[in-house]
Amino acid sequence: MMRIALKNPHTWIVMGVDTALIILSFWLSFWLRFETITPDQYTIFINLLAPVLVVKHTAFIYYGMQSGMWRFTGVIDLINLIKASVISFAVIVIGVSFVYYSTFTGGISRTVFVIDTFITVCLIGSFRLLIRFYFTRNIKIGGVWELIKPSRLSGEKTHGGIPALIYGANERGEILLRSLMSPLNPSHYEIAGFVDDSSVYDGVNIHGYPILGGLDKLEDTVSRLNVRELLIASQMDPEMVERINARCKAAGILCRIVPAHLDGFHEKIDATRLRGIQIEDLLSRTPVTIDYTMVADALNGKRVMITGAGGSIGSELARKLAEFSPAAMILVDIGENYLFELGRSLERFDGVNATYHCADITNSAKMERLFEKFRPQFVFHAAAHKHVPMMEMNRDEAIRNNIGGIKVVADLSERFGAERFILISTDKAVNPSNVMGATKRVCELYAQIKAQKSKTAFLTVRFGNVLGSNGSVVPIFLKQIEERGPVTVTDEEVERYFMTIPEAVLLILQAAFMGSQGELFILDMGSPVKIADLARKMIQLAGFVPGKDIEIAYTGLRPGEKLKEELSGVGEVMEPTAHPKINRVAAGLVEADAVETAINRLLLKSASDPDGAYKMMMIWLSSGKAPEEDGAANPSKLILVKGSQTG
């Protein structure tokens, strides 16, 4: 039996509306049965009204009809309404047979109660569905005691599952519940109810699952119901996530969350994405929304190539593209293990047409065969050597792979008629202080000059660090915390921009299909994060006290590293686009022949003199002038012919 919260104004409103509809239904049943209501029949109506109200309200309370939230009304609530109405009919008919037997022969028919039952279901059901339709406009569902007991939204695999609570008695919470209970969902949860700090929801239920109070009652609720996990559905700020996580630890249960940064649309909530609290949940990142229709239309029936497909961005890009079912995906990476793992992760997508190619992007013969065979229409160029200190020790490889690679892939894209070429760049390309950043800036320049004379649309998307990428600070910190420290930070004041991998990929897709020839987009990275603060949050998230349980050690900046990164360089003016998280860069034009000549000299020199090639490249980028073969700048050959951008 459902509990009813008489102190909640919501309950009295529901009971008041139900009372009015029950009276109207009973009156209409008399009118439909007799057409003309005589004084005797009116007397019978008045005498029976109170018992009918008592019986129906009792049945409604039993089936949770007066604690359910109208805006979440669905099939489950209609089933409970029908059960309550049928039980009421049986009780009323039996009661009237004993108490008012003579009325059945003197002026009332059992047909009145049959009609009344039908009208009650129609009136109350229609009213609640109209309220539901007003709020959301869309829903889905999944012995003798099983037949008459109160119904609730349920799936096929909840029996014996993990006892859990859902935090958030709102639209997101309701959709998470439906996702958890879907027969297509592999989750194994036995939902005990909802937790929400708003007193408005006290004593009500969603699809038969009660709201059990707020966080202040969490430990008592967990103990009483033997709950093992709390599932966060609501979007909330990082401080609230930390507070909930701390309360879960105090209560001895796990806390899981649907990542809010993935998509701001309620309809995108998916129980399969539930995971433990991670560091990105504690950073101020607002949810990302993109125009899915535009992306889907652009990819429909298209062949897409991704270079660096096994990397952090490339692999997530492949998984996201698979959701749009392009005609073919040509996935290229030099690492066979990365490709193998990517292939396994794509197995969950039905009908995905993906081929995997272990190839060095500077191998022009191999890449030409791939382009000739598959003729990709969209090329996402994510392949690059990106680890700053490692590339400082291997400058020749950084120049060969990053600059040589884009020359091969971009030239082939143009030659074989690709519609779009999207370069994935980095904030380290801005005023570069290391060989990795410098090579990526040269890649941006090469994309710009290709755009000047090609039918293929060449675009660049630039952004900062992504959380959890291979070699980033997050997995390094996690390993150090696992080993109980120390957690090493280069400098107490060092700052970096961060975004999540799924967030970056969604914005890359949006920018790729909203941009035109030669545009350079910069993703909104939010506010920079101090790495020392990131380390402290990760230590606390693991349940330790920074400086007490695990020390933070400062090691000094490594070769080529900056104290703070930048997203735009000198002469670059950021302009807004139609998307609030994507900016367009208005930059100076570059002289194509001078860039081509400079790149060829760099590639040639790096094979025999990597340090000399690096020096040549830095002089070029800092002065904006083409280098001579000895590395000196040639003032007569300007790279930039309009504007003052240098990097």
Side-chain angles (χ1 to χ4, degrees), residues 275-572:
R275 56 158 174 73
I277 302 294
Q278 295 178 3
I279 187 61
E280 53 259 43
D281 302 313
L282 307 184
L283 301 178
S284 298
R285 302 299 303 171
T286 55
V288 169
T289 61
I290 67 170
D291 187 342
Y292 281 91
T293 301
M294 181 191 73
V295 176
D297 290 344
L299 289 169
N300 184 36
K302 301 294 186 178
R303 301 176 299 277
V304 184
M305 174 182 282
I306 304 174
T307 67
S312 304
I313 292 295
S315 59
E316 181 64 18
L317 186 57
R319 285 186 287 269
K320 183 56 66 176
L321 285 170
E323 296 180 12
F324 295 96
S325 301
M329 290 199 300
I330 304 98
L331 306 175
V332 181
D333 199 286
I334 196 170
E336 60 169 321
N337 290 332
Y338 288 146
L339 285 177
F340 175 77
E341 292 300 328
L342 175 59
R344 287 177 58 84
S345 71
L346 292 179
E347 289 176 357
R348 65 187 176 93
F349 296 98
D350 294 331
V352 62
N353 180 18
T355 56
Y356 305 88
H357 308 276
C358 189
D360 184 336
I361 55 171
T362 65
N363 184 337
S364 57
K366 174 70 177 283
M367 294 304 297
E368 182 177 357
R369 289 197 299 272
L370 293 179
F371 271 86
E372 187 171 20
K373 179 178 180 179
F374 295 102
R375 296 186 179 268
Q377 293 155 294
F378 297 134
V379 178
F380 289 87
H381 184 55
H385 289 325
K386 64 178 183 178
H387 299 298
V388 171
M390 184 64 68
M391 289 302 100
E392 286 301 293
M393 294 185 284
N394 297 274
R395 287 173 171 170
D396 56 338
E397 186 61 22
I399 295 171
R400 183 196 70 83
N401 185 77
N402 294 0
I403 299 177
I406 193 174
K407 266 186 65 67
V408 170
V409 180
D411 290 352
L412 288 171
S413 297
E414 179 183 39
R415 179 179 159 192
F416 285 93
E419 295 177 22
R420 286 182 177 248
F421 175 97
I422 300 94
L423 168 66
I424 310 302
S425 191
T426 169
D427 58 355
K428 293 173 178 59
V430 179
N431 299 322
S433 61
N434 53 68
V435 70
M436 193 281 279
T439 57
K440 293 299 287 184
R441 178 57 190 148
V442 173
C443 289
E444 291 183 354
L445 290 173
Y446 195 70
Q448 279 186 264
I449 68 168
K450 296 297 290 184
Q452 293 177 15
K453 54 186 179 181
S454 177
K455 292 182 180 179
T456 298
F458 284 86
L459 303 100
T460 299
V461 181
R462 182 196 293 168
F463 53 94
N465 300 277
V466 287
L467 290 164
S469 63
N470 297 326
S472 70
V473 294
V474 170
I476 292 173
F477 285 175
L478 285 173
K479 184 170 179 57
Q480 291 174 335
I481 292 170
E482 185 181 332
E483 295 171 348
R484 301 299 185 267
V487 173
T488 56
V489 178
T490 55
D491 190 285
E492 191 169 7
E493 297 302 316
V494 70
E495 292 181 347
R496 294 291 182 265
Y497 290 97
F498 284 104
M499 70 192 327
T500 67
I501 295 173
E503 183 182 8
V505 165
L506 284 175
L507 293 177
I508 288 169
L509 285 175
Q510 179 75 65
F513 299 113
M514 68 185 281
S516 58
Q517 182 67 281
E519 289 190 303
L520 191 159
F521 295 101
I522 298 179
L523 305 186
D524 180 6
M525 301 294 296
S527 301
V529 176
K530 281 193 173 183
I531 301 300
D533 291 342
L534 184 70
R536 292 187 191 99
K537 284 182 178 289
M538 291 186 65
I539 292 171
Q540 292 168 345
L541 188 60
F544 300 106
V545 178
K548 180 181 177 182
D549 300 324
I550 295 179
E551 295 293 332
I552 297 177
Y554 297 98
T555 59
L557 291 175
R558 298 175 295 180
E561 287 188 323
K562 295 180 181 179
L563 198 63
K564 298 181 180 181
E565 298 286 5
E566 306 160 275
L567 289 173
S568 60
V570 177
E572 289 185 336

Side-chain angles (χ1 to χ4, degrees), residues 123-158:
L123 281 179
I124 294 179
S126 298
F127 179 81
R128 297 190 180 199
L129 283 177
L130 283 173
I131 298 296
R132 163 69 176 181
F133 189 76
Y134 172 79
F135 274 102
T136 58
R137 304 164 173 92
N138 117 60
I139 197 165
K140 184 178 181 181
I141 171 175
V144 175
W145 168 242
E146 288 296 326
L147 180 64
I148 65 172
K149 74 177 184 179
S151 298
R152 55 160 59 179
L153 190 69
S154 61
E156 298 177 352
K157 296 170 285 188
T158 58

Side-chain angles (χ1 to χ4, degrees), residues 212-226:
L212 301 167
L215 287 176
D216 56 334
K217 300 178 182 178
L218 183 62
E219 292 186 43
D220 175 65
T221 303
V222 166
S223 175
R224 180 163 48 87
L225 300 177
N226 196 30

